[in-house]
Amino acid sequence: MSISLSHLTKRYGADTVVDDVTVEIPESSLTAVLGPSGSGKSTLLKLIAGLESPDEGRVVIEGDDVTDVDPRYRDIGFCFQHYAPFRHMNVARNIGFGLRVRKQPKDVIDAKVAELIELVRLDGKAKSYPAQLSGGERQRMALARALAIEPRVLLLDEPFGALDALVRTELRQWVKELHRQIKVTTILVTHDQDEAMEVADQLLIMHEGRIEQAGEPTELYERPATDFVHGFLGPTTMFKGVSVRPHDLELVPASEGAIEGTVQSIMELGFEVQVTVALSDGTAPWVQMSRNEFRNLHVEIGSLVSIRERD
Ligand code: ADP
Ligand code: MG
């Protein structure tokens, strides 16, 4: 289901935390809302869910204006970072909770729960209690619970934020795959740009309550509309007074380029090497290159090199 937000605004006292947001979220997309802490991401999600009401603007889901509709009747599934499972209920009962609230018949609930347990790969854990699950398994259970009501829209607010890096990377891949299977329109809030770039087919970049730019990840990365987006997505370095991508610069032997400098530092990060060059104007841009490129360059700290933009 597509979601369309128009002129959505939320104030807390004198602070405008969501500021005139107008955006279309395409049907069946996996859209990531990416922005620094405090930029209004969670508030935006709460406005869509109906957990907060806007001071101005409308929320429309698939043509239905739901701005004044109670959250229970919006058909939205949520999953938050600090999801609190019912500790006294086993996995199956946690997942089936929303269906019992909706007074579904027992056989319908049982069938749905069994299907979801398989979908989120918790086979064999139906009778376990939340305390017996790993962090990653608990978040998968939370997702199954959100999906049980067959929502029109799935909202995920930093769902993996509390997990360690390895589990998080695994779960992102899994969410991407899950989304490919079920195609429910999903909004994932994150402050982690790698997570957003890797998972999402659409990105919304938020900054101080506003949407700075919306579009496909590679489009935003390659054609950032604002300095904020440019600086926020991927590394940047200053060269000739402008902010550029370090992989858009290259080093060549000293005589071949116009701008010369001295290698100041070399950081080898496995496949990638970062070389910082001190220039005579006092700046020190850094260049990102592959290990092979670095080897072929034959430079060390103190070497004289030329730096230029790649063609
Ligand atoms: P994010 O999720 O991007 O970190 P939030 O949407 O949680 O940002 O918060 C945006 C801003 O709104 C922050 O400055 C936060 O302190 C403020 N804020 C959030 N919720 C409330 C509230 N219930 N009352 C007052 N201020 C709030
Ligand atoms: Mg938040």
Side-chain angles (χ1 to χ4, degrees):
M1 303 283 164
S2 66
I3 304 171
S4 107
L5 308 178
S6 59
H7 303 291
L8 212 56
T9 299
K10 178 70 184 174
R11 300 184 194 95
Y12 290 115
D15 292 339
T16 304
V17 302
V18 171
D19 191 359
D20 195 26
V21 166
T22 296
V23 72
E24 288 287 325
I25 295 174
E27 165 152 21
S28 301
S29 69
L30 203 178
T31 298
V33 177
L34 176 65
S37 177
S39 56
K41 305 181 299 293
S42 294
T43 306
L44 186 71
L45 233 56
K46 287 179 193 159
L47 291 171
I48 297 171
L51 302 174
E52 292 281 359
S53 34
D55 292 293
E56 283 160 42
R58 313 303 299 174
V59 177
V60 175
I61 299 176
E62 194 61 17
D64 296 339
D65 187 328
V66 298
T67 317
D68 303 313
V69 174
D70 186 281
R72 279 172 297 177
Y73 304 116
R74 290 192 187 192
D75 270 346
I76 288 178
F78 331 99
C79 177
F80 298 113
Q81 176 176 347
H82 298 291
Y83 157 70
F86 299 114
R87 288 183 316 174
H88 60 286
M89 289 183 198
N90 66 27
V91 169
R93 289 191 60 81
N94 264 284
I95 295 174
F97 179 78
L99 298 172
R100 291 198 298 281
V101 169
R102 282 169 173 73
K103 306 259 184 278
Q104 298 282 314
K106 188 177 179 309
D107 56 335
V108 171
I109 298 177
D110 289 348
K112 187 75 199 169
V113 167
E115 181 194 319
L116 283 162
I117 283 181
E118 200 183 314
L119 185 70
V120 303
R121 302 203 318 246
L122 285 174
D123 316 66
K125 303 274 182 185
K127 300 241 170 340
S128 302
Y129 283 84
Q132 297 167 312
L133 302 179
S134 69
E137 287 170 343
R138 261 201 298 278
Q139 283 309 103
R140 298 211 301 270
M141 176 178 87
L143 241 102
R145 191 171 87 166
L147 289 170
I149 60 162
E150 296 184 12
R152 296 197 285 179
V153 169
L154 182 64
L155 303 179
L156 310 174
D157 192 352
E158 313 229 14
F160 317 133
L163 305 172
D164 66 55
L166 201 65
V167 178
R168 214 160 64 207
T169 315
E170 245 176 58
L171 277 185
R172 293 178 192 160
Q173 284 308 324
W174 173 79
V175 159
K176 200 177 162 87
E177 174 57 26
L178 181 76
H179 178 263
R180 206 184 56 74
Q181 287 175 37
I182 61 175
K183 285 284 174 206
V184 59
T185 307
T186 301
I187 306 181
L188 170 83
V189 161
T190 177
H191 63 268
D192 179 335
Q193 54 156 292
D194 291 338
E195 185 159 293
M197 296 292 281
E198 201 177 308
V199 169
D201 44 41
Q202 293 288 319
L203 274 187
L204 304 182
I205 310 288
M206 271 196 101
H207 178 44
E208 296 177 347
R210 294 180 163 271
I211 305 278
E212 289 267 329
Q213 194 174 358
E216 290 176 18
T218 48
E219 181 190 328
L220 267 56
Y221 186 76
E222 281 160 18
R223 286 183 293 282
T226 66
D227 286 348
F228 178 80
V229 174
H230 180 70
F232 198 70
L233 288 183
T236 60
T237 190
M238 290 300 285
F239 181 60
K240 294 200 274 190
V242 290
S243 172
V244 298
R245 301 280 182 218
H247 60 239
D248 287 335
L249 296 177
E250 68 176 343
L251 298 180
V252 291
S255 52
E256 288 179 24
I259 301 180
E260 292 190 357
T262 314
V263 173
Q264 189 179 61
S265 70
I266 295 168
M267 248 215 291
E268 297 197 52
L269 308 165
F271 175 76
E272 174 197 344
V273 182
Q274 302 179 353
V275 180
T276 307
V277 179
L279 305 181
S280 57
D281 64 2
T283 64
W286 64 275
V287 182
Q288 186 179 37
M289 63 189 81
S290 71
R291 194 173 42 195
N292 273 346
E293 239 183 305
F294 174 72
R295 294 256 164 83
N296 293 334
L297 207 59
H298 301 293
V299 296
E300 53 191 22
I301 290 175
S303 299
L304 199 63
V305 288
S306 282
I307 182 169
R308 64 184 183 198
E309 276 152 283
R310 283 179 204 269
D311 297 330

